[in-house]
């Protein structure tokens, strides 16, 4: 092999491959070996797992073993990684094949990086992974500042020794025969470059760029600085011992082959996970279907009824499809809950289709399967895989002929009449994926295909399905449909306008506001990352809702999050969040079954820890563009709220610098009311925003996130907090009287820290845990506000859906395991017993 090619391509590729292999050796120690091997021995078996070429997640059940064994196995991950570093120091350098030796050194370097990241979180928060690991040794978090500093310093110093060794050896290996001996900077890049490249993929920086823009490089600043510092530390180590031969061409090729095999195997892990799961399922076969199901979750007659319905739906769809295939056989895999489907398929959606296999949840509020799932599998069998996933979804919806139980054309006409016309360019614009609602885009896109089948020919739908790949410009669509330039857009507009004109469905009436209802509410937070247990759709969440009902609560707020960049950038996105529409709907139906009301309260995160209250746009055109995207964002959740019958909808949260533009918000509220017909509120920030908003009369409730201080100084005495609460009540009553609207605390809460009642917006464990002050603030707030005739309820911040956290050493807002929960239970059960007239008239 030519030496230039060898030095420029082969050896660098092998070096990068060894960095990847070392990453997975370290990650296997941290995220695989302990949960799979050690924790099950302690009574915490694996309940779910997922793996990608860049991540590994193992979910274990709760511990059932003895306390001593649990403590030992909590510390075990740290001990294994430290022992691994010691083993590297003793044996790795003696390994003769250079490629294997370099892989070991990279593994040690990654172990140091992963442990240092835990130390950083531990030092900053006093909790996190390392805090849990060290808890049996130094006590439960929050840990005192002195202990945190001591453990941080000691741990860091101990890690610097193997870090210096591994970094020094890697630098020496890089310079041995691949890079010139004297070019230390090149060796530094050779060490740091692969690490940062791998981290960039792990952090999904490419996807995050759409949300955060160029500033996302800040994500890499901390690991980049640590990598460089460790590499510089490695430079201080003189090369000793036997001379190194360096990475040979053969060794580089072997490293690339191993890394490629590792990557490919991890990329296929979803298929392996499905195969493992499906081996244990029961089978039921019909003419066109094989139904796979868990015999413990479904009764045979239930499966038979489901299969008969599938045959009926498929027969209707095959009749609508010209030239259906002579033989069709589809598979349906049924899951008893969203967590099981997430574990098997990696998605929380109610159904997903892969080829001719349908993966579907059939449990809880989901009583049947959307006919579009059968249609998608049928089209895959008849026409093959679509060139464009979006056109494939639209074609399946077109073939199913319905949307949410309504005729597709009627549903599309309603959407157009409510929010106006969506052009074909808007529906096809991939840059709008972050904010344009699929609840509007999918039925309208399917209706567009219906217009093509009606106006031109059904065969043209198949043409688009088979030939359109990357959603080209409209000129390409016109060419594919044999139309003049611009004709597809014109035909779509005319057809949709005629559809709206023919629609005789009257608009839904506004649901009246129950003036006597008092929301004894809780802000119910989603705490199941990516559906791995504990989220809104989990059994843990259902159990927590039952516990809240027993406390006297009659309402919850569910909070889906979106993202915005801020900084004069008109970007809004709700993609990639954990609170899916299915999650929110699952929590709603469980709450409704318990007789509880549910507020849907969408909120935005601002990039890099920003605050929505400081969002401002100096350029009116930029502000208008941002408001257009926010309109689409909020209309998505308004439509979800109407479709699923949420009881209360919040149009925004704490946009203090934007709510001064009252006309913008009045137009937005008008648009929301066309879609959602229940009561509306807005969650204003406490203080100037709440008291200065000029559009309260357009809403049904005045909403405030009540983090007003109750006193100037920290105090545990309720009598010291009552005067401040009384003054605050008077100020709020004046706002209520001015606008003739009742008030809701869309949020209210106090962290269990010293000063939590005087600075309730500061959740800082460094101030020291104070459960008594939190309980006193709860008591005073209930006493001062619950009996006011203008007060219609409050949602306490917050209660996690997995029920975890809290306790006597916790400094956060949650009342779980604290005296504040007893205060809440006492007041809510008392209010539940009182007639509504008594609550309104009680001073």
């Amino acid at each position: 092999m030519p030496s230039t090619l060898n030095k420029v391509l082969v050896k660098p590729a092998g070096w990068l491959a060894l960095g990847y292999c070392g990453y997975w050796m370290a990650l296997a120690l941290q995220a695989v070996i302990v949960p799979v091997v050690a924790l099950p021995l302690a009574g915490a078996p694996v309940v779910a797992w997922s793996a990608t070429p860049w991540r590994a997640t193992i979910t274990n059940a709760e511990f059932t073993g003895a306390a001593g064994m649990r403590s030992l196995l909590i510390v075990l991950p740290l001990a294994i990684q430290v022992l691994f570093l010691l083993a590297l120091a003793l044996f790795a350098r003696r390994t003769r094949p250079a490629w294997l030796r370099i892989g070991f050194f990279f593994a040690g370097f990654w172990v140091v990086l992963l442990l240092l990241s835990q130390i950083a979180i531990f030092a900053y928060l006093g909790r996190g992974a390392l805090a849990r690991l060290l808890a049996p040794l130094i006590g439960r978090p929050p840990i005192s500042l002195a202990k945190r500093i001591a453990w941080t310093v000691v741990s860091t110093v101990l890690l610097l020794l193997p870090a210096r060794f591994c970094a020094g050896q890697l630098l020496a290996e890089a310079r041995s025969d691949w890079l010139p001996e004297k070019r230390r900077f090149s060796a530094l890049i050779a060490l740091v470059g692969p690490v940062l490249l791998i981290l960039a993929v792990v952090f999904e920086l490419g996807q995050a760029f759409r949300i955060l823009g160029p500033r996302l490089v800040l994500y890499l600043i901390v690991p980049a600085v640590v990598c460089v510092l460790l590499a510089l530390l490695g430079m201080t180590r003189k090369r000793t011992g036997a001379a190194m031969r360096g990475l040979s061409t053969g060794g580089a090729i072997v490293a690339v082959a191993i890394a490629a095999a590792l990557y490919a195997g991890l990329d296929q892990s979803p298929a392996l996970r499905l195969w493992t799961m499906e081996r244990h399922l029961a089978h039921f076969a019909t003419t066109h279907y094989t139904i796979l199901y868990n015999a413990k979750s479904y009764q045979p007659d239930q499966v038979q009824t489901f299969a008969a319905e599938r045959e009926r739906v498929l027969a209707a769809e095959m009749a609508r499809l010209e030239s259906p295939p002579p033989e069709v056989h589809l598979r349906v895999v049924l899951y008893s809950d969203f967590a099981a489907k997430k574990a098997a398929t990696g998605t929380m959606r109610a159904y997903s289709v892969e080829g001719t296999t349908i993966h579907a949840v059939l449990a809880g509020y989901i009583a049947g399967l959307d006919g579009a799932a059968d249609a998608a599998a049928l089209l895959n069998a008849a026409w093959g895989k679509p060139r464009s996933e979006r056109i494939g979804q639209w074609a399946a919806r077109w073939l199913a002929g319905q949307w949410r139980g309504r005729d597709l054309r009627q549903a599309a006409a309603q959407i157009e009449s409510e929010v106006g016309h969506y052009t074909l360019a808007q529906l096809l614009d991939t840059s709008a994926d972050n904010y344009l609602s699929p609840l509007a885009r999918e039925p309208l896109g399917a209706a567009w295909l219906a217009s093509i089948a009606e106006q031109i020919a059904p065969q043209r739908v198949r043409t688009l399905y088979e030939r359109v790949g990357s959603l080209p410009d409209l000129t390409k669509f016109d060419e594919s449909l044999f139309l003049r330039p611009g004709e597809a857009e014109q035909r779509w507009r005319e057809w949709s306008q005629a559809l709206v004109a023919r629609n005789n469905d009257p608009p839904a009436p506004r649901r009246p506001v129950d003036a006597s209802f008092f929301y004894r509410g809780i802000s119910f937070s989603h705490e199941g990352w990516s559906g791995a247990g504990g989220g809104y759709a989990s059994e843990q969440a259902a159990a927590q809702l039952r516990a809240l009902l027993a406390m006297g609560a009659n309402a919850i707020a569910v909070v889906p999050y979106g993202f915005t960049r801020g900084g004069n950038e008109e970007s809004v996105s709700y993609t990639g969040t954990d609170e899916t529409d299915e999650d929110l709907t699952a929590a709603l139906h469980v709450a409704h079954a318990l007789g509880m009301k549910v507020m849907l309260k969408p909120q935005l995160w601002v990039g890099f820890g920003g605050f929505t209250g400081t969002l401002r746009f100096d350029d009116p055109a930029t502000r208008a563009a941002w408001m257009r995207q926010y309109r689409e964002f909020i209309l998505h959740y308004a439509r979800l709220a109407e479709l699923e019958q949420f009881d209360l909808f919040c149009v925004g949260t704490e946009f203090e610098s934007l709510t001064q533009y009252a006309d913008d918000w009045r137009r937005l509220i008008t648009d929301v009311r066309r879609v959602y017909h229940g009561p509306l509120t807005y969650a204003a920030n406490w203080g100037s925003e709440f008291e200065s908003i000029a559009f309260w009369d357009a809403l049904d409730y005045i909403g405030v996130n009540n983090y007003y201080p109750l006193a100037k100084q920290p105090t545990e005495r309720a009598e010291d907090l009552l005067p401040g609460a009384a003054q605050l009540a008077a100020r709020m009553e004046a706002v209520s009287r001015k606008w003739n609207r009742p008030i809701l605390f869309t949020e209210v809460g106090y962290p269990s820290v010293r000063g939590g009642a005087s600075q309730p917006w500061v959740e800082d464990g460094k101030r020291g845990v104070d459960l008594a002050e939190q309980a006193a603030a709860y008591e005073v707030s209930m006493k001062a506000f619950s009996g006011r005739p203008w007060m219609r309820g409050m949602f306490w911040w917050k209660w996690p859906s997995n029920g975890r956290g809290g306790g006597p050493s916790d400094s956060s807002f949650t009342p779980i395991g604290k005296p504040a929960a007893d205060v809440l239970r006492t007041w809510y059960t008392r209010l539940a017993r009182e007639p509504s007239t008594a609550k309104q008239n009680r001073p």
Side-chain angles (χ1 to χ4, degrees):
M1 183 175 293
S3 60
T4 301
L5 181 64
N6 189 37
K7 183 172 292 188
V8 173
L9 179 61
V10 177
K11 288 190 176 180
W15 186 263
L16 178 60
L18 290 172
Y20 180 68
C21 291
Y23 164 75
W24 264 100
M25 277 192 277
L27 197 64
L29 287 168
Q30 185 184 61
V32 177
I33 291 179
V34 172
V36 171
V37 177
L39 297 187
L41 296 177
V46 173
V47 295
W49 67 275
S50 64
T52 71
W54 305 101
R55 297 175 186 269
T57 302
I58 310 293
T59 303
N60 295 85
E62 294 293 333
F63 284 109
T64 58
M69 179 64 74
R70 292 200 300 269
S71 298
L72 174 62
L73 291 176
I74 289 174
V75 180
L76 192 57
L78 180 63
I80 288 179
Q81 293 178 79
V82 172
L83 289 174
F84 179 72
L85 282 173
L86 293 175
L88 281 176
L90 292 174
F91 303 114
R93 194 179 174 198
R94 299 183 180 181
T95 303
R96 294 188 62 83
W99 64 270
L100 188 58
R101 185 171 61 241
I102 294 169
F104 283 156
F105 290 143
F106 261 121
F109 195 75
W110 276 109
V111 169
V112 173
L113 283 175
L114 294 174
L115 287 176
L116 284 176
S117 69
Q118 294 187 29
I119 291 173
I121 296 172
F122 170 72
Y124 182 69
L125 299 176
R127 56 180 183 268
L130 193 63
R132 292 193 296 273
L133 293 175
L134 300 178
L137 304 178
I138 59 178
R140 304 298 304 175
I143 301 164
S144 69
L145 181 60
K147 285 185 177 181
R148 279 163 52 191
I149 292 175
W151 276 99
T152 300
V153 171
V154 171
S155 302
T156 302
V157 170
L158 290 176
L159 283 174
L160 289 181
L161 298 176
R164 181 170 179 260
F165 170 75
C166 292
Q169 291 296 111
L170 285 170
L171 292 169
E173 295 280 358
R175 296 199 305 267
S176 59
D177 70 343
W178 170 33
L179 297 171
E181 176 68 26
K182 296 183 179 180
R183 294 182 62 181
R184 289 194 166 193
F185 180 75
S186 299
L188 185 69
I189 296 299
L191 173 56
V192 176
V195 174
L196 294 187
L197 181 62
I198 292 171
L199 287 176
V201 181
V202 172
F203 290 159
E204 298 178 345
L205 295 189
Q207 180 179 358
F209 186 86
R210 296 182 305 168
I211 301 172
L212 300 175
R215 294 173 298 161
L216 63 84
V217 297
L218 293 175
Y219 274 128
L220 278 179
I221 284 182
V222 173
V225 170
V226 173
C227 287
V228 171
L229 290 178
L230 292 180
L232 292 175
L233 183 66
M235 284 185 174
T236 66
R237 186 177 185 276
K238 293 183 179 180
R239 191 168 130 192
T240 59
M244 296 180 182
R245 300 176 182 176
L247 183 62
S248 66
T249 301
I253 294 174
V254 169
V256 171
I258 292 175
L262 176 63
Y263 183 95
L266 292 167
D267 190 52
Q268 293 301 312
S269 65
L272 174 62
R273 187 168 59 245
L274 279 175
W275 178 81
T276 303
M277 182 272 299
E278 291 179 5
R279 289 177 61 239
H280 303 287
L281 297 181
H283 292 62
F284 180 80
T286 65
T287 304
H288 297 99
Y289 285 89
T290 296
I291 314 295
L292 284 73
Y293 64 98
N294 188 331
K296 297 180 180 179
S297 301
Y298 300 98
Q299 297 298 322
D301 57 343
Q302 182 183 7
V303 176
Q304 292 174 16
T305 301
F306 174 81
E309 175 64 13
R310 302 272 55 78
E311 290 286 354
R312 184 194 67 78
V313 170
L314 183 65
E317 292 174 349
M318 291 182 68
R320 288 194 290 269
L321 184 66
E322 292 193 0
S323 303
E327 296 290 336
V328 175
H329 198 84
L330 310 180
R331 298 169 75 246
V332 181
V333 184
L334 294 180
Y335 301 90
S336 56
D337 54 48
F338 282 99
K341 184 174 183 296
K342 168 66 180 180
T345 67
T347 174
M348 286 287 289
R349 297 303 178 188
Y351 73 85
S352 54
V353 181
E354 298 177 6
T356 57
T357 297
I358 302 168
H359 302 273
V361 175
L362 187 66
Y365 75 93
I366 301 179
L369 178 62
D370 191 333
D374 305 84
L378 173 59
L379 289 176
N380 285 335
W383 295 352
K385 184 178 180 180
R387 289 288 303 280
S388 161
E389 182 180 357
R390 178 168 302 166
I391 296 296
Q393 291 174 345
W394 292 357
R397 182 62 56 193
W398 159 74
L399 185 59
Q402 55 83 32
W403 169 256
R404 298 270 179 153
R406 297 186 63 197
D407 177 79
L408 176 63
R409 290 171 174 77
Q410 287 182 326
Q414 178 182 336
I415 294 172
E416 289 262 326
S417 62
E418 289 173 345
V419 299
H421 178 67
Y422 284 94
T423 66
L424 188 55
Q426 286 176 294
L427 296 177
L428 294 169
D429 182 10
T430 56
S431 67
D433 288 354
N434 291 339
Y435 58 85
L436 187 57
S437 171
L439 297 180
R441 174 179 261 166
E442 184 174 329
L444 291 178
W448 171 59
L449 293 184
S451 74
I452 292 174
E454 180 180 306
Q455 293 179 323
I456 305 176
Q459 293 90 337
R460 292 292 178 265
V461 176
R462 181 169 184 172
T463 299
L464 294 175
Y465 182 96
E466 293 179 337
R467 297 183 183 178
V468 175
S470 58
L471 297 180
D473 59 35
L474 292 182
T475 303
K476 298 295 184 181
F477 272 99
D478 290 324
E479 293 176 359
S480 299
L481 297 170
F482 304 101
L483 300 174
R484 298 186 307 274
E487 188 176 355
E489 186 74 84
Q490 179 183 350
R491 284 172 174 260
W492 164 239
R493 177 179 292 276
E494 293 173 352
W495 189 84
S496 60
Q497 288 175 344
L499 197 66
V500 172
R502 294 196 304 268
N503 182 33
N504 296 320
D505 291 349
R510 285 183 58 182
R511 298 193 288 277
V513 176
D514 186 350
S516 65
F517 187 82
F518 187 90
Y519 290 88
R520 305 188 301 273
I522 297 288
S523 288
F524 195 53
S525 63
H526 182 284
E527 302 294 345
W529 298 113
S530 300
Y536 283 148
S538 67
E539 178 53 39
Q540 296 101 311
Q544 293 307 307
L545 289 177
R546 292 189 290 270
L548 292 175
L549 180 69
M551 289 180 61
N554 66 357
I556 60 168
V558 292
V559 185
Y561 285 95
F563 305 95
T564 187
R565 291 182 188 172
N568 271 326
E569 297 185 52
E570 68 281 11
S571 171
V572 177
S573 171
Y574 63 86
T575 59
T577 58
D578 291 295
E579 305 88 6
T580 66
D581 294 350
E582 288 83 357
D583 277 304
L584 298 165
T585 304
L588 169 82
H589 282 265
V590 172
H592 276 182
L594 296 172
M596 305 172 77
K597 292 184 181 290
V598 184
M599 172 171 67
L600 183 57
K601 183 169 172 277
Q603 294 186 200
L604 289 180
W605 289 111
V606 181
F608 295 96
F611 172 48
T612 51
T614 60
L615 279 176
R616 58 181 302 118
F617 303 96
D618 300 326
D619 177 22
T622 304
R623 187 182 76 248
W626 188 91
M627 286 298 296
R628 284 193 295 271
Q629 291 195 12
Y630 183 76
R631 173 184 181 270
E632 298 294 343
F633 165 82
I634 208 67
L635 285 180
H636 168 78
Y637 287 107
R639 189 170 303 282
L640 178 67
E642 179 66 19
L643 288 169
E644 302 296 345
Q645 295 292 286
F646 281 81
D647 304 282
L648 178 62
F649 185 70
C650 184
V651 300
T653 301
E654 296 181 350
F655 291 107
E656 185 169 355
S657 296
L658 294 176
T659 49
Q660 60 180 302
Y661 304 103
D663 290 343
D664 291 348
W665 287 89
R666 287 185 181 276
R667 285 191 292 270
L668 178 67
I669 293 167
T670 299
D671 290 341
V672 170
R673 286 205 185 276
R674 292 195 187 100
V675 175
Y676 176 71
H677 302 96
L680 297 180
T681 188
Y682 169 84
N685 194 25
W686 64 276
S688 59
E689 186 188 19
F690 161 66
E691 297 173 23
S692 64
I693 280 180
F695 54 84
W696 285 128
D697 56 319
L699 299 163
D700 299 292
Y701 294 101
I702 295 173
V704 57
N705 287 354
N706 178 20
Y707 296 101
Y708 279 96
L710 297 179
K712 294 183 178 179
Q713 299 296 328
T715 178
E716 298 177 355
R717 290 162 48 89
E719 53 268 32
D720 294 338
L721 301 176
L722 274 173
Q727 294 174 9
L728 177 58
R731 292 168 65 181
M732 290 186 172
E733 183 176 8
V735 175
S736 177
R737 288 183 180 276
K738 175 182 178 180
W739 295 100
N740 191 31
R741 291 291 186 275
I743 289 179
L744 277 177
F745 288 168
T746 43
E747 281 182 27
V748 58
Y750 304 93
S752 51
V753 297
R754 182 68 172 165
S758 57
Q759 289 182 303
W761 59 91
V762 180
E763 187 182 15
D764 184 5
K766 296 178 182 178
R767 296 192 292 179
V769 175
D770 195 328
L771 304 180
E773 184 169 350
Q774 183 190 41
Y778 269 61
E779 179 71 33
V780 166
S781 295
M782 295 300 304
K783 186 173 184 179
F785 297 109
S786 63
R788 307 283 179 171
W790 43 266
M791 169 58 66
R792 300 314 318 140
M794 53 189 68
F795 292 85
W796 286 91
W797 187 264
K798 65 180 177 173
W799 195 284
S801 59
N802 59 11
R804 299 176 185 173
S809 61
D810 176 65
S811 60
S812 71
F813 279 92
T814 183
I816 291 179
K818 305 174 186 177
D822 298 326
V823 174
L824 199 59
R825 179 183 292 104
T826 299
W827 275 94
Y828 271 5
T829 53
R830 181 190 306 171
L831 291 172
R833 292 193 299 266
E834 293 182 0
S836 59
T837 53
K839 283 182 281 190
Q840 291 186 36
N841 296 325
R842 181 161 44 83

